[in-house]
Amino acid sequence: MVPVMPDDPRLKLAVQKSGRLTEPSLDLLSRCGLKLSRGKDQLMGFGENMPLDVLFVRDDDIPDLVQEDVCDLGLVGLNVLEEKRLELAARGHPARFQCVRVLDFGRCRLSLAVPEGVAFGGLSSLAGKRIATTYPYLLGRYLRERDVSAEIVVLSGAVEIAPRLGRADAICDLVSTGSTLQANHLREVETVLESHAALIRTPVALPPGKDEWVQRLLKRIEGVQQVRESKYILLHAPRAALAQIRRLLPGCEAPTIIPLEGHPDKVAVHAVCRENVFWETLEDLKKAGASALLVLPVEKMLD
Ligand code: PRT
Ligand code: ZN
């Protein structure tokens, strides 16, 4: 365990060391302006321009590190977070971590799947059957809430081969593209949990200096997530077509309208579109009379 000084003025953030969340987490932090230098052991990254250090750990340990006040913040999947919350509750401990920001990466779902060719007549058809999973608490709650009693076979990995090995009749595992299920001749039948990455924090009040940096980080994350889809669009439009053109601009609240010197019947329109601008939209704008269309990426945004 990394020793943490009790009055350490620097924030500690836990990030997955090596896995699906590592690259998008580091990309998010870098877009938030954090410059990290990695220590020799690669277990810690030191923020060069912010009082924030990153601990690189297994994703399953991230809620525990926040729970135990070793870290103030963590980037982790909702699947891991909710499983841990239920596990703690079952042991009579309240969770000491809060989800403070839903993030736009790490999307997947925890799903039930049965072997291809096996009939599935709704969840009740799994009553009395064995279901293999690494998420016994989430699966247990799902079954309990639907009054279905099944045997949960807890595995630590390779869940998708359990039916073939005769260890289970069905599985409950994470799915993103579905190709792992397909390769193992399994059919997804029910979604137990929709998941994505999240930023978690300790519910413990932080000293003002640290708390201010948490708030700044949250604002920056919001800005980063907003600009990912946002575009800045510039075009010329006949005044007469302005109402129609405004309606065509995706996710745009208040465009700036500028007169065009020497063209009283035309204006320039500048707008931030908070949704992606597709070719089809540009073609529709052109049909509506727009010209000189220009779409630019937005790098930073702060409301
Ligand atoms: O070593 P460590 O414990 O840190 O890593 P890990 O192996 O437990 O986790 P890792 O890196 O596989 O996943 C980290 C987090 O990414 C998960 O907790 C989820 O929140 C999220 N995530 C998103 C996924 C997937 N998509 C995903 N597809 N985690 C796992 N998978 C696996 C799934 O278990 C199955 O084996 O990918 C396979 C299915 O993928 P598809 O695309 O074939 O459906
Ligand atoms: Zn893990």
Side-chain angles (χ1 to χ4, degrees), residues 139-263:
L139 174 60
R141 181 181 66 177
Y142 187 78
L143 294 173
R144 241 186 349 270
E145 284 176 354
R146 287 155 185 82
D147 259 335
V148 174
S149 149
E151 184 189 338
I152 298 177
V153 180
V154 185
L155 300 181
S156 55
V159 169
E160 64 279 1
I161 59 168
R164 239 185 311 149
L165 298 178
R167 298 186 69 186
D169 306 296
I171 69 160
C172 175
D173 199 10
L174 296 178
V175 181
S176 48
T177 62
S179 58
T180 304
L181 290 185
Q182 208 179 2
N184 288 282
H185 306 288
L186 294 164
R187 184 163 61 95
E188 190 175 354
V189 288
E190 299 240 350
T191 304
V192 173
L193 180 85
E194 293 280 355
S195 186
H196 46 73
L199 176 73
I200 59 168
R201 66 158 285 172
T202 169
V204 173
L206 296 169
K210 271 180 147 181
D211 196 60
E212 189 196 323
W213 269 104
V214 172
Q215 300 314 322
R216 284 175 82 170
L217 192 64
L218 284 172
K219 268 270 164 228
R220 289 185 189 188
I221 289 176
E222 213 169 278
V224 168
Q225 300 212 126
Q226 270 181 10
V227 300
R228 272 204 233 272
E229 287 276 284
S230 297
K231 295 282 178 281
Y232 194 73
I233 184 163
L234 302 101
L235 56 87
H236 289 176
R239 272 186 192 279
L242 207 50
Q244 193 191 351
I245 282 172
R246 280 185 67 163
R247 276 197 298 274
L248 287 169
L249 293 171
C252 162
E253 281 149 30
T256 307
I257 315 286
I258 307 159
L260 277 176
E261 190 67 27
H263 296 276

Side-chain angles (χ1 to χ4, degrees), residues 102-116:
V102 166
L103 304 170
D104 55 4
F105 60 87
R107 272 179 210 288
C108 57
R109 54 201 183 272
L110 183 66
S111 287
L112 282 162
V114 296
E116 276 169 10

Side-chain angles (χ1 to χ4, degrees), residues 229 231-237 241 244-252 269 271-295:
E229 287 276 284
K231 295 282 178 281
Y232 194 73
I233 184 163
L234 302 101
L235 56 87
H236 289 176
Q244 193 191 351
I245 282 172
R246 280 185 67 163
R247 276 197 298 274
L248 287 169
L249 293 171
C252 162
V269 178
V272 174
C273 294
R274 290 176 188 255
E275 292 164 34
N276 214 338
V277 179
F278 296 105
W279 280 109
E280 289 75 8
T281 310
L282 292 186
E283 286 157 6
D284 289 346
L285 285 164
K286 202 151 173 49
K287 260 191 236 149
S291 58
L293 288 136
L294 203 58
V295 181

Side-chain angles (χ1 to χ4, degrees), residues 16 58-60:
Q16 190 185 23
R58 286 199 56 197
D59 68 342
D60 317 74

Side-chain angles (χ1 to χ4, degrees), residues 1 4 14 55 57-77 80-89 91 93-98 200-203:
M1 193 65 60
V4 175
L55 268 72
V57 293
R58 286 199 56 197
D59 68 342
D60 317 74
D61 296 334
I62 293 174
D64 287 327
L65 290 168
V66 176
Q67 177 86 10
E68 290 158 18
D69 283 331
V70 177
C71 289
D72 311 292
L73 302 165
L75 291 171
V76 67
V80 169
L81 196 67
E82 292 310 309
E83 179 72 6
K84 179 52 82 178
R85 194 190 298 281
L86 294 176
E87 186 190 331
L88 285 164
R91 295 204 187 131
H93 300 301
R96 291 179 67 239
F97 42 75
Q98 299 170 337
I200 59 168
R201 66 158 285 172
T202 169

